[in-house]
Amino acid sequence: MASTLAPRTARKTRTPAASRRTPASRRTRRRLAADAGLLAAAAAFVLPLAWVVLSALDPRASLRVKVPDGVTLDNFDAILTPEITFTPLLNSLVLCGGATALTVVCAALAAYPLSRFPSRLNRPFLLTVLFATSLPITAIMVPVYALFVRVNLIDTMQGTIFFFAASQLPFAIWLMKNFMDGVPKELEEAAWTDGASSLQSLLRIVLPLMGPGVAVVTVFSFVMMWGNFFVPFMLLLTPDQMPASVSINDFFGNRGMVAYGQLAAFSIVYSTPVILLYVLISRRLGGGFALGGAVKG
């Protein structure tokens, strides 16, 4: 009788252990599947970057991702000329830098009353602004082109700057308003008590405290403008005014001939200003508002 009960007792004691191992094995399989998905996504981003770096140093670059037989800097020597690189990069810096500064200033001035003065019209206005960001750029370029011709802004740097700023302003207002909501209003009220105006409190208190937000809006606006091909291609006609986002099309020759090595080298040089901008303001991007004790006492 005892011999028949022993196996049953053993089976009962092993059952909870087996049930504990089953969820653990499922979690392991799920974690491995997630890691495999992340590695696949990382490979999808790394492979194009690897092609750009390797092809820029390859004298016989092609569409294949391969280690070059011999490292050379001839591709950089071929593109580092005023006509190919320096003038288009300068035009891009003027266009994107001016439009970014105008966007940040206008977004701050528009977001301040939306954040500090509640109204029933704030939400409909913000929803309208959000709707404006969903309009495809190709749908509005025809009337914009006709308008620019009438007001003599076609083929001008200032006209392109205005349109760049107008196209990025809706989303910039949303971002700036959300960051501005995190600054306590009590700090401004203290400044108003000391005789400061609303503009002075915005410039001396709100904007310095929301430095990370201003940095985010600046980087986002600059990057979106820096890679825009369609707008300057439509609004600028003179080759000497074309930015680098348009001049990169010159590396695609006729009959399918492409200078892959020079294209990769130009891509590296073209990406440098964006990388430098991020590095310069990375400290502000990583910082917080740190306003937890600002209104205590």
Side-chain angles (χ1 to χ4, degrees):
M1 188 69 178
S3 61
T4 58
L5 293 176
R8 294 180 182 178
T9 306
R11 284 195 298 269
K12 289 181 180 179
T13 56
R14 287 196 300 267
T15 301
S19 62
R20 287 195 299 269
R21 286 196 299 268
T22 301
S25 60
R26 290 178 181 176
R27 287 194 297 268
T28 302
R29 288 195 297 267
R30 291 175 182 175
R31 184 171 61 252
L32 292 176
D35 293 341
L38 291 176
L39 288 176
F45 284 96
V46 170
L47 286 178
L49 296 178
W51 178 87
V52 170
V53 175
L54 296 176
S55 298
L57 303 175
D58 192 350
R60 292 178 295 274
S62 63
L63 284 176
R64 295 177 54 191
V65 180
K66 61 183 181 68
V67 178
D69 298 333
V71 177
T72 180
L73 297 178
D74 293 341
N75 294 323
F76 290 95
D77 293 336
I79 66 164
L80 292 179
T81 61
E83 296 80 9
I84 298 177
T85 300
F86 297 136
T87 300
L89 279 180
L90 179 60
N91 294 335
S92 294
L93 291 174
V94 172
L95 287 175
C96 300
T100 299
L102 184 61
T103 300
V104 172
V105 172
C106 293
L109 295 177
Y112 183 74
L114 293 173
S115 175
R116 290 298 185 260
F117 304 104
S119 173
R120 294 181 179 179
L121 299 178
N122 286 0
R123 182 174 177 81
F125 176 78
L126 288 174
L127 292 177
T128 304
V129 167
L130 183 63
F131 172 76
T133 62
S134 63
L135 294 175
I137 194 68
T138 54
I140 62 176
M141 279 309 299
V142 173
V144 167
Y145 186 89
L147 176 64
F148 274 39
V149 171
R150 287 181 177 272
V151 297
N152 295 324
L153 285 178
I154 198 71
D155 196 26
T156 61
M157 299 289 282
Q158 60 268 26
T160 308
I161 289 175
F162 290 152
F163 185 79
F164 264 148
S167 62
Q168 295 300 322
L169 191 58
F171 197 72
I173 293 175
W174 265 86
L175 289 177
M176 194 74 74
K177 192 260 182 187
N178 291 332
F179 283 108
M180 199 170 290
D181 289 341
V183 179
K185 191 176 180 180
E186 290 79 1
L187 299 177
E188 292 182 82
E189 293 175 349
W192 295 339
T193 304
D194 293 336
S197 63
S198 297
L199 182 59
Q200 289 175 335
S201 64
L202 172 64
L203 296 177
R204 298 182 180 181
I205 297 177
V206 178
L207 291 180
L209 290 176
M210 54 176 291
V214 177
V216 169
V217 175
T218 301
V219 172
F220 177 82
S221 302
F222 187 85
V223 170
M224 295 300 293
M225 298 173 192
W226 187 261
N228 195 304
F229 169 83
F230 189 67
V231 171
F233 180 76
M234 292 293 297
L235 299 181
L236 296 176
L237 306 177
T238 305
D240 293 338
Q241 293 183 339
M242 290 297 177
S245 60
V246 178
S247 65
I248 195 173
N249 190 51
D250 297 337
F251 293 99
F252 298 87
N254 297 325
R255 300 179 182 178
M257 299 297 294
V258 182
Y260 291 109
Q262 297 180 16
L263 175 62
F266 185 85
S267 299
I268 292 177
V269 177
Y270 176 53
S271 304
T272 302
V274 177
I275 298 174
L276 291 178
L277 175 64
Y278 177 77
V279 170
L280 289 176
I281 65 175
S282 59
R283 293 183 178 179
R284 286 194 172 273
L285 283 174
F289 290 103
L291 297 177
V295 295
K296 293 182 179 181

